């Protein structure tokens, strides 16, 4: 009997576990489960819609999904449709690759006001994630404040100020591109609580901000040190030097008549979101960096705005019965081992950092542990799982069905765009002729 493995979550970390198991040439049967009908997790729902070349990594995942050892079960949710105990009873190994879908909180007064939308929700909305279809962000504003100096903050800022021509090849859903293009947003303030050297942007993403058609990257030269000092690894120091060089270029570049601006606002931490019940501004305290930490200076500045997007990291609200470590915000694990027969990989294991490729060694680690712990398959896996789903009238979406969704999205694409996404599960199931 093959070793039966179920991977919960079909983002990059899930696919890298499957890929590593296949490459091991062990006798395995691998089922990949996702709560959405569509696979690929953050590649579909997180990677920016104008970065299509990054999304091409799904071609490798597709090869994995089409491998004879693998089955895909979309539209099946751990905790809603099936419990962890039921998966453990059916499979020799359960791998949790469920990511970090929630938004971290700022922890300042006013952050529950209308018009404060975390990056998980905002990015989900512009990427057509069904959870956020009706988000209706407050784009009737000239100014937007994006909090955070990471790549997600850059993605959000860029998507808000790119021209329609620059977005031609993006896969923004139509209602989203209409909303963004109709909005009067001209100024995006990207707020970092520390300085330019501490910012977490990668350099390719930062440089792109200097090349936008109709948006200038505004940097106060007074915020920029002569050179990078501090205790960095060689690699980190090189990255920070490249970022500093890019920011210096921005600080002296001519505006060239660009109508919109992205203001790099360093040394400022949010202390309050201002407004009656709806956001009218963000109050920031100016900071200085002491021993790598942002310290308030007691000087405050208000930025008027109708939308605040905290892009400060992600959280996980774990499904019932999944062991959770409150102190790290991750699934409790010992280098990937959770409990007998249960493993974790990706952001749910390490926390919300790292690029797509960072998940590859994680996947290899989980696969190696499974093969070390389970010498012979003894549980039936998919036959028991399918029986359970059928007994509950749960209609799963298999990979061939996803490919039909994919083909329909591609066929509906506006000129130049790769696809027009379905943004509700109901529309996807309707296409498939499902009874639901
Ligand atoms: P990130 O890189 O960790 O950046 C988070 C930012 O939020 C940091 O600037 C952090 O400041 C700030 N922050 C955290 N808590 C804050 C608070 N309470 N108040 C103010 N600022 C706060 O996270 P991310 O941007 O969400 O990205 C997640 C991962 O995905 C990263 O590894 C990123 O590189 C990756 N990603 C990559 C790409 C790409 O390659 N194109 C695109 C998107 C995401 P401190 O530094 O002071 O903590």
């Amino acid at each position: 009997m093959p070793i039966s493995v179920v991977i919960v979550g079909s983002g990059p970390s899930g696919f890298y576990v499957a890929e590593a198991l296949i490459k091991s040439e062990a006798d395995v049967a691998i089922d990949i489960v996702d709560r959405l009908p569509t696979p690929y997790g953050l590649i579909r729902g997180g990677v920016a819609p104008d970065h299509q070349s990054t999304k091409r990594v799904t071609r490798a995942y597709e090869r994995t999904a089409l491998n004879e050892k693998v089955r895909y079960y979309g539209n099946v949710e751990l905790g809603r449709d099936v419990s962890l105990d039921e998966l453990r009873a059916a499979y020799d190994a359960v791998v949790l690759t469920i990511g970090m879908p929630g938004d971290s909180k700022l922890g300042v007064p006013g952050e529950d006001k209308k018009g404060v939308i975390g990056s998980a929700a905002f990015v989900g909305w512009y990427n057509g994630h069904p959870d956020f279809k009706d988000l209706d962000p407050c784009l009737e504003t000239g100014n937007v404040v994006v909090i955070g100096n990471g790549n997600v903050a850059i993605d959000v800022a860029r998507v808000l100020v790119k021209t329609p021509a620059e977005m031609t090849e993006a896969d923004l859903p139509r209602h989203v591109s209409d909303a963004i293009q109709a909005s009067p947003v001209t100024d995006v303030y990207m707020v970092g609580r520390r300085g330019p050297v501490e910012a977490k942007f990668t350099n390719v993403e930062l440089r792109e901000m200097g090349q936008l058609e109709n948006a200038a990257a505004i940097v106060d030269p007074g915020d920029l040190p002569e050179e990078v000092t501090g205790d960095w690894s060689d690699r980190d120091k090189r990255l920070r030097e490249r970022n500093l060089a890019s920011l210096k270029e921005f600080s002296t570049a001519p505006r060239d008549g660009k109508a919109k601006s992205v203001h790099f606002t360093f040394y400022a931490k949010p202390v309050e979101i201002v407004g009656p019940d709806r956001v009218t501004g963000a109050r920031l305290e100016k900071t200085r960096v002491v021993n790598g930490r942002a310290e308030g200076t007691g000087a405050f500045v208000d930025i008027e705005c109708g939308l605040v997007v905290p892009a400060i990291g992600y959280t996980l609200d774990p499904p019932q019965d999944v062991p959770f470590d409150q102190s790290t915000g991750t699934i409790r694990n010992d280098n990937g081992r959770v409990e007998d027969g249960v493993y974790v990989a990706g952001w749910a294991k390490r926390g919300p950092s790292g690029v797509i490729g960072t998940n590859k060694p994680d996947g290899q680690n989980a696969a190696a542990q499974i093969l070390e712990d389970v010498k012979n398959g003894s549980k039936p896996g998919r036959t028991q799982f399918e029986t359970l789903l059928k007994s509950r009238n749960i209609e799963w979406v298999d990979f061939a069905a996803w490919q039909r969704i994919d083909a329909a999205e591609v066929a509906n694409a506006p000129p130049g765009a790769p696809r027009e996404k379905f943004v509700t599960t109901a529309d996807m199931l309707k296409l498939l002729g499902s009874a639901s």
Side-chain angles (χ1 to χ4, degrees), residues 148-152 155 193-194 200 205 311-312 314 347 352-354:
N149 269 185
N151 283 330
V152 173
D155 282 346
R193 62 181 169 182
R194 298 190 290 160
K200 290 185 170 143
E205 281 62 32
I312 59 167
Y314 298 104
W347 280 10
S353 70

Side-chain angles (χ1 to χ4, degrees), residues 154 190 201 203-212 216-221 224 242-255 262 264 266:
I154 285 221
M190 202 163 34
F201 317 128
N203 191 247
V204 176
E205 281 62 32
L206 180 60
R207 279 206 314 272
E208 192 181 351
M209 300 305 278
Q211 297 155 359
L212 302 180
I218 309 293
V219 176
D220 177 351
L224 303 178
R242 282 199 293 270
N243 281 355
L244 186 57
S246 304
L247 291 164
K248 282 184 178 166
E249 270 179 40
F250 298 170
S251 73
T252 55
R255 263 202 91 91
V262 175
F264 286 77
F266 295 112

Side-chain angles (χ1 to χ4, degrees), residues 209-279:
M209 300 305 278
Q211 297 155 359
L212 302 180
E213 263 176 28
N214 194 30
I218 309 293
V219 176
D220 177 351
D223 283 342
L224 303 178
E226 275 296 306
E227 56 180 13
V228 174
T229 54
D231 192 14
W232 306 104
S233 69
D234 287 351
R235 187 173 169 276
D236 273 356
K237 188 163 186 224
R238 276 197 303 278
L239 164 66
R240 282 151 216 282
E241 284 170 346
R242 282 199 293 270
N243 281 355
L244 186 57
S246 304
L247 291 164
K248 282 184 178 166
E249 270 179 40
F250 298 170
S251 73
T252 55
R255 263 202 91 91
D256 286 339
K258 291 176 180 177
K260 300 186 180 185
S261 304
V262 175
H263 306 262
F264 286 77
T265 311
F266 295 112
Y267 300 111
K269 65 172 181 181
V271 289
E272 187 180 348
I273 306 302
V274 188
D277 56 342
R278 203 191 155 102
V279 174

Side-chain angles (χ1 to χ4, degrees), residues 42 46-48 51 54 104-108 119 147-155 158 191-195 198-202 205 268-270 292-294 310-314 347 350 352-356 358:
L42 277 185
V47 169
H51 281 179
T54 308
S104 286
K105 300 292 265 181
L106 279 171
V108 303
S119 59
I147 296 169
N149 269 185
N151 283 330
V152 173
I154 285 221
D155 282 346
R158 191 184 67 246
V191 175
R193 62 181 169 182
R194 298 190 290 160
E198 290 82 16
K200 290 185 170 143
F201 317 128
T202 44
E205 281 62 32
K269 65 172 181 181
R293 295 177 63 86
I312 59 167
Y314 298 104
W347 280 10
R350 309 188 311 273
S353 70
V355 294
I356 297 164
T358 315

